[in-house]
């Protein structure tokens, strides 16, 4: 039984060793798309945050509040 487990582990390690590096990872096109999506999302988030902050300041909503129990909320 132990011999079969060692054989199985050996075959598994050899198989993983011969796989190309990009087999499990994203290719260049996918990586670039993810970077683009991240940048677009960050820009959108920043624009929405700026809009919310401006609105809060206009109507007098506090941007940050600390409670007696130590809790904090922030816009």
């Amino acid at each position: 039984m132990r011999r079969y487990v060692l054989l199985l582990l050996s075959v598994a390690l050899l198989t993983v060793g011969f796989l190309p590096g990009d087999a499990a990872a994203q290719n260049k096109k996918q990586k670039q798309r993810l970077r683009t999506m991240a940048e677009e999302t960050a820009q959108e988030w920043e624009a929405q945050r700026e809009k919310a902050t401006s609105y809060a300041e206009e109507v007098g909503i506090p941007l940050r509040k600390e409670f007696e129990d130590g809790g904090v909320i922030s816009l």
Side-chain angles (χ1 to χ4, degrees):
M1 178 70 178
R2 185 175 180 185
R3 183 179 235 178
Y4 292 114
V5 171
L6 288 175
L7 179 62
L8 181 63
L9 286 174
S10 298
V11 170
L13 288 174
L14 286 173
T15 303
V16 170
F18 289 115
L19 289 175
D22 289 338
Q26 294 98 2
N27 62 31
K28 290 180 183 180
K29 187 175 181 181
Q30 290 171 326
K31 288 180 184 180
Q32 183 57 41
R33 178 66 183 136
L34 289 171
R35 284 189 196 103
T36 302
M37 287 173 59
E39 290 172 9
E40 291 170 354
T41 303
Q43 290 173 356
E44 182 180 332
W45 183 86
E46 191 60 42
Q48 290 177 353
R49 179 181 165 94
E50 188 65 36
K51 185 177 177 181
T53 301
S54 296
Y55 175 76
E57 290 174 350
E58 286 177 16
V59 296
I61 299 172
L63 299 177
R64 179 181 166 93
K65 182 174 181 177
E66 296 184 27
F67 295 97
E68 293 176 8
D69 66 355
V72 177
I73 58 171
S74 178
L75 179 64

